[in-house]
Structure formats: C-alpha cells, structure tokens
Amino acid sequence: MASLNFGTLKFGNQKEYYIALGIFCNSKAFSISYEPNKSTGSYADAYRMRKLSTAKKLIKPIEDAIRSGNRINCNNYVVNLIEHHNFIQNGKAICGTLENVVKTVPESYLSDFIEGFTKSAIVNDNSIVVYEAENIKSTATSLKKTAVPKSRKTTSHIKGSVTKGKTKHDYIKEHIRNTDIGERGEKLVYEMEKKKLIEAVRTGKISSINNVVQWVSLDDDSAGYDILSYDIDTKQKIYIEVKTTTENKMAPFYMSEGEIEFSKKNPNQYRLYRVFNFKKTIAEYFELKGDISLSTEVQIDAVNYKVTIK
C-alpha cells in the first residue's frame, strides 16, 4: 500500500494518491526539476514541481500544496516517484512516461490513475495529446433523436467488449480514446440543449437561459450527471447523463454506481442520452428516462454496471 503523507502533499486515500500520480505523469500538467542549490552556496538541494498553464482539474491535495510561482516543494514525494514509480532523472529534468509509470499501478487503481492523466491538462480540440490514443479527426456536428432500440437477441455486440487477454497498454489506449469521445459527445448535447432553450426564449416559452443550461461535468464529474437543462413541457430542470460511442445503437456501455444512484434519487428529472454512430456527420441518440435501475429497456450487470439493451 502506497504511503499517503509526504508533508506538503497529503492524500486522504489510495484513490487520491493514484489520481495524483496520473496528474504528475502528464507533462502538460506539471514539470518536475532538480535544483542543486548547494552548489551555488544557497539553500539545500531541492526538487520542484511546477504547475503549467495548461493544467486543469487538479484534486484538492495538489491545490492545497501549491505555493507562490505555482510550485510545490516536496522532496519526499519526488523521491517516491523515482524510487517506486519509474520516474527518471535526466540532468535537472525529472519525468515519467506513461507506459513505464503505469506498470507500477495496481489494477484496482488503474482507472483512477488514467483519470488523473487524461483530465489534468488542456489538449488541442482536434487531437488527443496523450499516449498512443487514436485521433478522432472527424466527429458528428449535430444530433438526431431516435427511438430506444430493441435487441435483436444476438450476442455479437457483447463479444466486442470482452476484455480477455487485454493488456494495460490496450486498456489505457481504449480508456483515453473513450474519454475524448465522451467529452465531445457531451459538448454536442450541451450545444443542442442550449439551442433548444434559446429558441424557447425567442418564442416566449421561457424568459431566459441564465442558469438553466450548464455543462456540469466540466467542473464536477462526480455530480451524477453531465448536463443541466430544462424541460419546456414539464417546467422542470432535467439532469442529463451522456454516454457516447462511435459504434452502433446496440453497443453496451458502463455507468458508475454514483450515476445510477443519482437516477434513483431524481427519477422524474433524470435523462440518459445514449449517443451513437458518433463518427457520422449526424450522430443519433435515444433517451432513457427515470430511474435507470428500474428501466425495462435495459439490463444492468450488478457487478460492473454494464448496461445492455434488452
């Protein structure tokens, strides 16, 4: 079990520790350097971690540790990175490559590490500036709603998701690619909802869109939903969870326990938009309403929350 207290950097649990490891592994979020101060007759030798301008979505233990100049001074932690997580010192520069650092991450914390790595820095909207991820050069520019599909009673779509024989290398590439696709799908839904509500203002159905439509997951991906919007007919706020795939409408998808619990607590306002065929110019989506655990249109694996069309 990894140590959690390094003085300046203190983590509340193992999950935070491995999210932070992913963040410090991302060279677009932090730079790490060695400063041989003794040789200049000043302070003792030290390691410096510096937050870069492209960094975003840092967890609280890291934010709390940042001092003036966007620096974190924590020799013990950098030594830990070198001794236990395959970070390399080359001259004054210290860094860890994803393919080497991930070898030190337990399977149970792999998704936390990847979360830290993928969400910790701004990337070019037209490409994925991360480890060997497939570049999604062209994605949908609009959405078309369809009916919830009915299963054809085949298992072909499930076979594609079997993870037997998958390496950490494969899992990383898939997860990073899915993270990028997911964010682009959320953006498309957000723009669609915003356009809908602007039209409602124009026709006098609502007075304003201020505080009515928000892309919540950009700031808080633990809220249980992605987009806050408004149902013009029911006059209620709605909470939209977006699940996006480049595959067809029958492709299964995963939900977190928190997302399912949120749908249980807010059944009248909860919506799940399953966006599919995302590589086409016009992607499609179908909508599931209410408590997802009670839906008669899907089946949920109680162990890993894999959702499959019935």
Side-chain angles (χ1 to χ4, degrees):
M1 181 177 291
S3 175
L4 301 178
N5 190 336
F6 297 90
T8 306
L9 274 168
K10 298 182 179 70
F11 304 106
N13 49 53
Q14 295 287 311
K15 178 183 176 71
E16 284 187 348
Y17 177 91
Y18 284 105
I19 290 175
L21 181 62
I23 291 171
F24 289 120
C25 184
N26 190 337
S27 62
K28 291 187 174 297
F30 273 87
S31 66
I32 307 176
S33 61
Y34 171 66
E35 296 181 1
N37 295 316
K38 281 185 179 178
S39 62
T40 64
S42 56
Y43 302 102
D45 293 350
Y47 294 109
R48 304 283 188 238
M49 295 178 282
R50 188 182 300 276
K51 175 186 172 182
L52 303 179
S53 61
T54 47
K56 65 173 185 177
K57 286 194 174 181
L58 304 179
I59 59 176
K60 190 175 185 299
I62 294 178
E63 292 284 9
D64 289 345
I66 294 174
R67 301 294 184 261
S68 61
N70 280 326
R71 297 191 310 181
I72 298 176
N73 303 329
C74 192
N75 289 359
N76 292 341
Y77 183 74
V78 178
V79 170
N80 174 67
L81 294 179
I82 295 170
E83 292 183 350
H84 299 291
H85 294 297
N86 293 338
F87 276 65
I88 301 296
Q89 181 170 341
N90 183 12
K92 293 183 180 180
I94 297 157
C95 64
T97 60
L98 189 56
E99 59 266 37
N100 287 329
V101 177
V102 75
K103 295 174 184 176
T104 71
V105 179
E107 292 287 344
S108 56
Y109 294 106
L110 190 56
S111 62
D112 300 310
F113 170 79
I114 295 172
E115 176 187 332
F117 184 86
T118 56
K119 296 184 178 181
S120 58
I122 298 168
V123 297
N124 186 309
D125 190 49
N126 296 318
S127 63
I128 313 171
V129 192
V130 285
Y131 170 61
E132 291 188 9
E134 179 182 340
N135 182 17
I136 308 301
K137 294 179 180 177
S138 177
T139 51
T141 56
S142 62
L143 283 170
K144 180 178 72 174
K145 189 173 184 179
T146 66
V148 179
K150 301 297 181 184
S151 175
R152 295 185 293 274
K153 302 301 180 182
T154 74
T155 57
S156 59
H157 63 281
I158 297 177
K159 289 179 181 178
S161 64
V162 173
T163 57
K164 185 178 181 180
K166 219 176 236 190
T167 65
K168 281 189 179 182
H169 176 281
D170 296 325
Y171 181 79
I172 291 166
K173 287 198 297 182
E174 179 182 297
H175 191 102
I176 291 173
R177 178 176 179 274
N178 289 343
T179 297
D180 184 74
I181 291 170
E183 187 165 307
R184 292 177 187 225
E186 289 174 24
K187 181 179 180 181
L188 202 56
V189 170
Y190 171 74
E191 294 295 341
M192 180 183 72
E193 291 295 309
K194 188 175 178 181
K195 184 177 179 180
K196 176 191 77 176
L197 294 173
I198 289 173
E199 177 62 17
V201 171
R202 190 188 69 80
T203 56
K205 294 180 179 178
I206 60 175
S207 59
S208 169
I209 68 168
N210 291 338
N211 301 317
V212 174
V213 57
Q214 297 175 26
W215 189 350
V216 175
S217 62
L218 276 183
D219 299 315
D220 181 7
D221 57 7
S222 64
Y225 65 100
D226 299 313
I227 310 292
L228 173 67
S229 190
Y230 190 77
D231 189 315
I232 299 167
D233 296 324
T234 64
K235 309 298 183 187
Q236 282 188 316
K237 291 180 180 180
I238 55 173
Y239 306 108
I240 303 172
E241 174 65 27
V242 183
K243 297 294 182 182
T244 306
T245 183
T246 56
E247 298 179 44
N248 64 37
K249 60 187 177 183
M250 302 305 295
F253 56 92
Y254 291 88
M255 295 186 71
S256 70
E257 183 177 4
E259 289 166 352
I260 292 175
E261 286 301 313
F262 188 87
S263 78
K264 290 180 179 179
K265 293 176 182 177
N266 303 274
N268 296 329
Q269 297 165 274
Y270 191 83
R271 309 285 187 271
L272 189 148
Y273 287 5
R274 177 49 165 166
V275 179
F276 58 95
N277 290 338
F278 199 58
K279 279 190 176 181
K280 294 184 177 180
T281 302
I282 302 176
E284 298 174 272
Y285 76 99
F286 58 84
E287 178 182 352
L288 298 173
K289 295 182 178 181
D291 181 350
I292 296 300
S293 69
L294 298 179
S295 174
T296 59
E297 296 167 310
V298 298
Q299 178 176 317
I300 303 176
D301 186 313
V303 176
N304 57 21
Y305 302 108
K306 179 179 180 181
V307 182
T308 307
I309 301 297
K310 282 187 176 180

